[in-house]
Amino acid sequence: MLNKYFINYSNNNYTLLLKRCVLLCVLFVGFSTFSQTAPKVSTKIDTTSIKIGDQITFTVTVETDTTAQVIFPEGQTFSPLETVEAFATDTTRQNDRMTLQKIYALTQFDSGSYKIPAQRIEINGEGFLTDSTRIINVANVAVDTLAQKMYDIKPLMEVDKSYSAIWKILLLVILGLLIIGGLLYWFVFRKKPLTEEEKVALLPPYDRALLELKNLEKSKYLIQDEYKEYYSELTGIVRSYLEEDANVSALESTTDELIGKLELLKDAGELKIDDDTLQQFKRILQTADLVKFAKSKPDTSVAEQDRQSIEQIVHKTHDALPEPTVEELMEQEEYKEELEKKKQKKKIIYASVAVIGVLVISFAAASAYYGFTYVKDTILGHPTKELLEGEWVSSSYGYPPISLETPQVLTRQETKLTPEMKGSIKELQMFSYNSNQGFFMVGTTSTTLAQEVEPEFNKSIEAFIKNLEKGGAKNIITKQEEFVTVTGVKGIKVFGSGKFPVPGSDELIDGEYSILLFGGKGFQQQIIINWLEEDEYAQEIVDRILGSVEVKTEL
């Protein structure tokens, strides 16, 4: 139900919403005046010139009250210089004052002149920036070109791409197809060896009748006094033969009805058989009726003679039948072809059922292992799942830069500052990405203030929420907590959920949002993300983006 709404969410609508939110946020940014306080921050370095790969010692000294809480920067915050090691903080106390000393070992592997960036020191929650005017000169290592022979740069070498993973997948697919093909061949298409009963059933009626009479002769019916079974099988053989070869409905006919039908065929010239043979056949059928219904028991010799007589009757009947016409032979051939087509059709049906069965079993197994929703979305496709599994982009946006990893690159958004905003904002840079097929958006904003003052985040948050409500959002739930980047930079995370409007419709959809706010004297940085509620793929995307966020703390 929600898909039909968020699929229609266009890039222009997202961009307009992002601009309105951010512009109102920065409009309400408060300015807290900076006054000289008791804490004192100073820095020093042991040298301003090093060779490539050598290290310099950068020392930060803080003098403050013994009750103050001091937080030094951690991680790679000295870019373009690299932090080799951050030593433990050295603390000395004297009366109600204390001196904290933090030493960093820095290096650089490219020659040139580099400025040590200002570092943000937090004292009782207030930020203090160190001096950033120190220049470090990194010199090349001298190379004796006379003693060392120089060689041309070697050309690029083409390396064959590794297809090991593709080959593994192909081998698994081929193995699966071979297994399915083998099962289909063995159970459907393979010509199975015929059983004795099937071989007998394929014989012509005349040959089959003679064979069955020979088998009856070898039976133990007469030895075991099973005359009823003997005569039942004897008359069944001859009746089946007459029905198939002479086209006489013999199986369901009584003795008199069967003899009457044969006489009609004889009189019509369709069966050239003499009267003695008919009378002899009638007598055998009557004897069989007495044995089956009156429990009569003839001599064994009579029973054997009756079998021989039936064999002679089959011979005479076969000889008395006229040769089949060309039309009859063609009908028989068409009948055989029709039977073959039916068999082929059955094989195709069996094969289709087998393939469908394998697919159903595979789908069920995959659903049991990975989950039904994941398998369904993999087969049918899902917009945010495709974003999650696509190739991600790592980049920095704006100034001061915001570094993060996103499914797609963020594009710059043109913004115009109002005359009222120009008095407090020096520069505003916005970047965003909006999914064409999903209620998903990520954007960054870097704001440079006209004065070096601390931004008031609370006013920015209030402005953002008011702008959402003005746009038609309802039931907005807001939560707030501290957010720390991977390198230890602290910020504020505001997150929650609500019902957001769909452009061109009165419907509201359930969505979630998350805002990260960073800043210092003279600047503010924001990251805004919103996505569809209960979209597990979007939640994974958000977690991955938040885990990659990094910001610079200097202008």
Side-chain angles (χ1 to χ4, degrees):
M1 184 68 181
L2 293 176
N3 289 342
K4 73 177 184 178
Y5 299 130
F6 68 71
I7 287 176
N8 295 324
Y9 228 112
S10 66
N11 285 338
N12 292 334
N13 292 322
Y14 275 118
T15 304
L16 179 59
L17 177 61
L18 177 62
K19 288 180 179 179
R20 291 176 60 189
C21 291
V22 174
L23 289 176
L24 282 178
C25 287
V26 298
L27 180 61
F28 287 97
V29 173
F31 308 111
S32 60
T33 60
F34 176 82
S35 61
Q36 185 68 27
T37 59
K40 181 181 178 181
V41 178
S42 61
T43 62
K44 69 175 182 178
I45 56 176
D46 60 343
T47 182
T48 58
S49 299
I50 60 172
K51 293 181 180 179
I52 292 178
D54 286 347
Q55 298 180 9
I56 64 172
T57 300
F58 180 79
T59 305
V60 181
T61 304
V62 176
E63 296 180 8
T64 184
D65 296 335
T66 56
T67 59
Q69 182 181 11
V70 181
I71 300 177
F72 290 94
E74 298 291 341
Q76 298 295 335
T77 61
F78 290 87
S79 180
L81 296 173
E82 297 184 18
T83 303
V84 178
E85 184 177 1
F87 297 94
T89 304
D90 184 17
T91 305
T92 58
R93 289 179 173 83
Q94 184 176 3
N95 298 328
D96 60 346
R97 302 287 291 178
M98 67 176 178
T99 301
L100 305 177
Q101 194 174 70
K102 185 76 169 181
I103 300 176
Y104 299 88
L106 309 178
T107 189
Q108 176 56 253
F109 295 97
D110 290 324
S111 61
S113 297
Y114 300 93
K115 181 176 69 172
I116 298 179
Q119 301 298 304
R120 179 184 173 87
I121 313 297
E122 285 195 9
I123 304 175
N124 292 330
E126 185 177 358
F128 292 82
L129 295 179
T130 63
D131 183 14
S132 62
T133 60
R134 297 178 181 273
I135 304 298
I136 304 300
N137 296 311
V138 182
N140 279 321
V141 178
V143 178
D144 188 354
T145 57
L146 297 177
Q148 177 70 34
K149 185 179 180 181
M150 304 299 292
Y151 298 92
D152 292 335
I153 299 175
K154 293 184 178 180
L156 296 176
M157 296 179 60
E158 293 187 1
V159 180
D160 294 336
K161 186 177 180 180
S162 176
Y163 294 96
S164 58
I166 298 178
W167 279 113
K168 290 180 181 178
I169 296 174
L170 289 177
L171 287 175
L172 290 175
V173 172
I174 293 173
L175 181 61
L177 292 176
L178 288 176
I179 292 174
I180 294 174
L183 293 175
L184 290 176
Y185 169 77
W186 185 261
F187 292 104
V188 179
F189 298 105
R190 178 176 64 95
K191 291 185 178 180
K192 305 176 183 66
L194 300 177
T195 62
E196 291 299 326
E197 292 77 6
E198 290 174 336
K199 291 180 180 179
V200 172
L202 292 176
L203 292 174
Y206 173 69
D207 297 332
R208 185 168 67 252
L210 294 180
L211 180 61
E212 290 176 346
L213 288 172
K214 292 294 183 183
N215 293 333
L216 181 61
E217 180 183 7
K218 300 176 182 178
S219 68
K220 298 181 180 180
Y221 289 135
L222 299 180
I223 299 175
Q224 298 174 353
D225 289 339
E226 295 176 348
Y227 287 91
K228 181 178 180 179
E229 289 77 6
Y230 179 84
Y231 273 94
S232 294
E233 188 169 336
L234 178 63
T235 55
I237 293 172
V238 70
R239 284 174 180 270
S240 297
Y241 165 72
L242 291 174
E243 185 146 338
E244 293 184 60
D245 218 4
N247 295 322
V248 178
S249 55
L251 291 174
E252 302 299 330
S253 300
T254 63
T255 298
D256 294 336
E257 289 174 347
L258 178 56
I259 296 300
K261 292 176 181 179
L262 294 176
E263 289 177 347
L264 289 175
L265 291 175
K266 174 179 175 296
D267 296 339
E270 297 181 7
L271 183 62
K272 298 178 182 180
I273 192 169
D274 56 78
D275 293 335
D276 292 339
T277 301
L278 284 176
Q279 290 301 318
Q280 185 181 19
F281 186 37
K282 182 178 181 180
R283 181 189 63 78
I284 295 174
L285 292 176
Q286 290 174 343
T287 300
D289 291 340
L290 291 173
V291 172
K292 290 187 289 183
F293 302 110
K295 297 184 179 180
S296 176
K297 186 178 180 181
D299 292 338
T300 302
S301 59
V302 174
E304 179 61 31
Q305 184 62 39
D306 289 343
R307 189 202 63 78
Q308 295 177 1
S309 299
I310 288 295
E311 188 174 344
Q312 294 298 320
I313 292 170
V314 170
H315 284 299
K316 291 180 180 181
T317 305
H318 179 70
D319 295 338
L321 291 173
E323 294 293 330
T325 62
V326 177
E327 290 77 7
E328 291 175 341
L329 292 175
M330 291 183 65
E331 289 179 358
Q332 293 177 1
E333 189 65 26
E334 291 177 358
Y335 178 71
K336 290 180 180 179
E337 291 179 358
E338 186 67 24
L339 288 179
E340 189 64 27
K341 288 181 180 179
K342 288 182 178 179
K343 290 181 180 179
Q344 191 67 23
K345 187 177 180 180
K346 283 185 178 181
K347 290 182 178 181
I348 294 174
I349 293 174
Y350 291 153
S352 301
V353 171
V355 171
I356 293 173
V358 170
L359 293 177
V360 170
I361 293 173
S362 301
F363 181 81
S367 299
Y369 186 79
Y370 295 103
F372 174 78
T373 303
Y374 181 85
V375 177
K376 175 181 69 67
D377 293 339
T378 301
I379 297 175
L380 301 181
H382 192 282
T384 50
K385 183 175 185 294
E386 293 173 0
L387 284 177
L388 176 63
E389 297 177 349
E391 185 174 353
W392 283 48
V393 178
S394 296
S395 186
S396 297
Y397 303 94
Y399 180 80
I402 301 174
S403 300
L404 71 164
E405 187 180 18
T406 56
Q408 297 289 337
V409 66
L410 308 187
T411 57
R412 181 183 293 273
Q413 306 297 318
E414 296 297 331
T415 58
K416 291 184 178 180
L417 300 177
T418 63
E420 183 180 6
M421 297 172 64
K422 289 181 179 179
S424 58
I425 299 174
K426 182 178 180 182
E427 187 178 7
L428 178 64
Q429 297 176 332
M430 296 173 55
F431 299 82
S432 70
Y433 166 76
N434 306 308
S435 174
N436 293 326
Q437 297 179 323
F439 184 72
F440 178 81
M441 184 275 292
V442 56
T444 66
T445 305
S446 297
T447 306
T448 304
L449 305 178
Q451 302 179 24
E452 289 192 4
V453 294
E454 295 282 351
E456 294 187 6
F457 294 138
N458 290 334
K459 289 187 177 181
S460 299
I461 296 170
E462 292 176 3
F464 178 81
I465 300 301
K466 289 180 180 179
N467 189 65
L468 289 180
E469 294 174 344
K470 187 177 179 180
K474 297 181 180 179
N475 301 334
I476 300 175
I477 299 175
T478 301
K479 302 177 184 179
Q480 182 174 326
E481 64 183 19
E482 185 183 57
F483 183 87
V484 182
T485 67
V486 292
T487 57
V489 180
K490 293 183 179 180
I492 297 176
K493 177 182 178 183
V494 180
F495 60 100
S497 61
K499 292 185 175 293
F500 300 97
V502 178
S505 173
D506 296 332
E507 298 288 339
L508 295 175
I509 57 176
D510 295 326
E512 298 185 40
Y513 67 92
S514 184
I515 310 169
L516 300 183
L517 299 115
F518 301 92
K521 289 185 178 181
F523 69 95
Q524 178 174 297
Q525 300 157 303
Q526 292 181 354
I527 301 169
I528 301 176
I529 310 173
N530 65 255
W531 65 98
L532 189 67
E533 192 175 36
E534 297 182 355
D535 186 346
E536 58 181 14
Y537 307 114
Q539 186 61 60
E540 291 186 41
I541 293 175
V542 173
D543 294 340
R544 183 171 173 181
I545 292 176
L546 296 181
S548 67
V549 171
E550 186 52 67
V551 295
K552 297 297 182 182
T553 57
E554 70 162 345
L555 289 177

